[in-house]
Structure formats: structure tokens, C-alpha cells
């Protein structure tokens, strides 16, 4: 199977991206569990895709950026712009909360991503980063989607160990305050059942699929 770059893959996946997968469903539950309540807050979603998470977030201000214009095109509006995670076209300390959800694994070197997330988050604010779990990759899972012809396509993914996330974040001035793992378990059973893969479900029970990290920007 040829591996597609992230931009090529999401260009193809964009029209059919929104239905939840097992990974995105698990990830969304993890992020909800990490808080904080967003009602009064300015929220950035860096690598926002279609902006679907911003739509439901209920933040006072929601801004999204993404590398793939086709993903943004399906968003139905909102404050979204095409940009790279490694060079955010945003002011310093402009947000109370900055998310980077299931996007950092598409970047070979996460250091500039952490530097940018820390820069645009106000001191004392929260940065939430989620990633496809290294244990899932080690178990043979890959980041894939079906294209318009129904072919399974693989997306470029770079494995970043939890410790690498934490040390790069620390170097950027972010202190880890919560780490969660989303594992194969009963909340995902229906996804496996729909794909007629209950045998795989039993085999994979307990396997971590998603890593979620929450950081506070250190107050100087
Ligand atoms: C799995 S999707 C996640 C989208 C969204 N965060 C969500 O949870 O629905 C990954 C997204 O990361 C974006 N992406 C990949 N590399 C990027 C980069 N260097 N800068 C900005 N966005 C990037 C892709 O275009 C894609 O929309």
C-alpha cells in the first residue's frame, strides 16, 4: 500500500471525513474528560480538519487552522484558515486553550509545533495534544481511510513516544498536568461490530489507540 502525505490523504478523505471512527470517537471522549469548560474561553484548534470539534465546543471564540484547504472547505464557515501547525499566523498569547488533535503525528519533528502552541497560548492557559498511540503502531495498526473508490489508503504518520511529547513540551514552556490513554474496550464494541470484526475486538481489548496530554503554559 502506498503511503500518502497528510495533505494528499486529507484532500481525498475530506468529503467523507466527518463520521466518527473508533479512534476519533475515543479521542473526543478523552479530550472532553480533560477540560476545562470552554464557555468563557478563546479556543484555538490547530489541525482542526473540518472544524467539527470547534462547532460543538461552545467556546466564546473558536479559531481553527489546517494545512488542507479541502478539509476547511467542508466546514460551513467559522473562523478557519489554511496554515501549518509549525508556523501559526496568530498573535502571541491570543488563546486560553489551544488544541492539537490527531494532527501532530503527521509532523516528523513536533518541536516547532509545541513551540507554536505554547506561543499562542496565554501564560496559565491550557494546551491539549492528542496523538495516535505508539502502542497501536507497534501492534500493527496504521492510519488509514477509504477513498472514493473504496480502496484503503495509508496516511504518513510519525511515531512520537509519550516521553518525547513531554520533553518537547517542557522545552517550549509547557508543564504536563494530565495524561490519558484511550483503549479498545466496550465503548468501541459497536465500531468493531459494524465492521464485522468482533474477533479483532476481543484480541485487541485493552490496546491503547489514543494518547491525550494536557499541559499548562508556565507563567514566567
Ligand atoms: C486526523 S485529522 C484531525 C482533524 C481534527 N483535529 C479532528 O479531530 O477532527 C488530521 C488533520 O491534521 C491536518 N494536518 C496535518 N499536518 C498538518 C500541518 N503540518 N499543519 C496543519 N494541519 C495539518 C490534516 O490536514 C488533517 O485535517
Amino acid at each position: 500500500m502506498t503511503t500518502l502525505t497528510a495533505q494528499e490523504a486529507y484532500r481525498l478523505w475530506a468529503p467523507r471525513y466527518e463520521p466518527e471512527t473508533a479512534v476519533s470517537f475515543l479521542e473526543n471522549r478523552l479530550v472532553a474528560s480533560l477540560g476545562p469548560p470552554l464557555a468563557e474561553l478563546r479556543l484555538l484548534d490547530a489541525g482542526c480538519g473540518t472544524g467539527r470539534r470547534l462547532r460543538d465546543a461552545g467556546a466564546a471564540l473558536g479559531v481553527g487552522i489546517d494545512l488542507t484547504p479541502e478539509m476547511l472547505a467542508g466546514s460551513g464557515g467559522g473562523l478557519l484558515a489554511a496554515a501549518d501547525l509549525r508556523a501559526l499566523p496568530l498573535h502571541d498569547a491570543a488563546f486560553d486553550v489551544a488544541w492539537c488533535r490527531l494532527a501532530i503525528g503527521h509532523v516528523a519533528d513536533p518541536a516547532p509545533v509545541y513551540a507554536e502552541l505554547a506561543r499562542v497560548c496565554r501564560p496559565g492557559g491550557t494546551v491539549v495534544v492528542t496523538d495516535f498511540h505508539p502502542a497501536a503502531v507497534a501492534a500493527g495498526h496504521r492510519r488509514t481511510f477509504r477513498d472514493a473508490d473504496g480502496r484503503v489508503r495509508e496516511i504518513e504518520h510519525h511515531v512520537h513516544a509519550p516521553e518525547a511529547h513531554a520533553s518537547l513540551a517542557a522545552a517550549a514552556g509547557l508543564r504536563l498536568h494530565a495524561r490519558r490513554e484511550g483503549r479498545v474496550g466496550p465503548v468501541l464494541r459497536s465500531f468493531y461490530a459494524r465492521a464485522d470484526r468482533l474477533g479483532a475486538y476481543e484480541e485487541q481489548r485493552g490496546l491503547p489507540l489514543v494518547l491525550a496530554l494536557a499541559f499548562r503554559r508556565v507563567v514566567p
Side-chain angles (χ1 to χ4, degrees):
M1 200 185 318
T2 330
T3 302
L4 301 174
T5 64
Q7 198 169 16
E8 177 60 6
Y10 289 102
R11 185 178 73 75
L12 296 173
W13 192 1
R16 289 168 303 283
Y17 178 78
E18 291 235 339
E20 299 286 356
T21 63
V23 167
S24 70
F25 178 80
L26 208 50
E27 190 265 358
N28 202 31
R29 285 170 54 102
L30 287 180
V31 173
S33 78
L34 285 169
L38 297 165
E40 306 290 319
L41 303 182
R42 299 161 300 168
L43 171 67
L44 169 69
D45 190 358
C48 65
T50 59
R52 62 179 173 176
R53 302 308 187 200
L54 285 169
R55 241 176 268 145
D56 303 333
L61 169 73
V63 173
I65 68 92
D66 197 276
L67 188 67
T68 311
E70 289 82 357
M71 290 290 274
L72 299 168
S75 68
L79 287 171
L80 305 183
D84 195 299
L85 290 169
R86 295 161 287 194
L88 297 173
L90 298 164
H91 292 298
D92 295 359
F95 297 92
D96 302 296
V97 178
W99 287 339
C100 182
R101 302 178 57 173
L102 296 175
I104 202 164
H106 295 313
V107 175
D109 176 10
V113 180
Y114 276 110
E116 282 294 81
L117 292 170
R119 181 182 65 77
V120 301
C121 182
R122 69 163 168 81
T126 302
V127 171
V128 172
V129 174
T130 65
D131 198 4
F132 194 58
H133 203 291
V137 178
H141 289 242
R142 295 294 177 266
R143 301 189 72 171
T144 60
F145 69 102
R146 278 188 196 278
D147 68 16
D149 301 322
R151 279 183 301 168
V152 176
R153 311 294 295 265
E154 184 171 338
I155 314 171
E156 181 180 6
H157 175 78
H158 303 272
V159 175
H160 307 308
E163 300 69 30
H165 281 282
S167 67
L168 292 170
L174 298 170
R175 187 172 41 78
L176 182 66
H177 79 90
R179 170 181 164 170
R180 304 244 205 291
E181 285 169 340
R183 295 172 183 270
V184 177
V187 296
L188 294 189
R189 193 175 185 282
S190 63
F191 287 90
Y192 284 80
R194 277 202 295 280
D196 202 15
R197 298 188 68 234
L198 283 175
Y201 170 75
E202 291 303 335
E203 279 168 27
Q204 292 170 17
R205 275 184 81 132
L207 178 71
L209 295 183
V210 180
L211 175 69
L213 303 166
F215 304 92
R216 290 268 149 69
R217 182 171 170 200
V218 173
V219 179

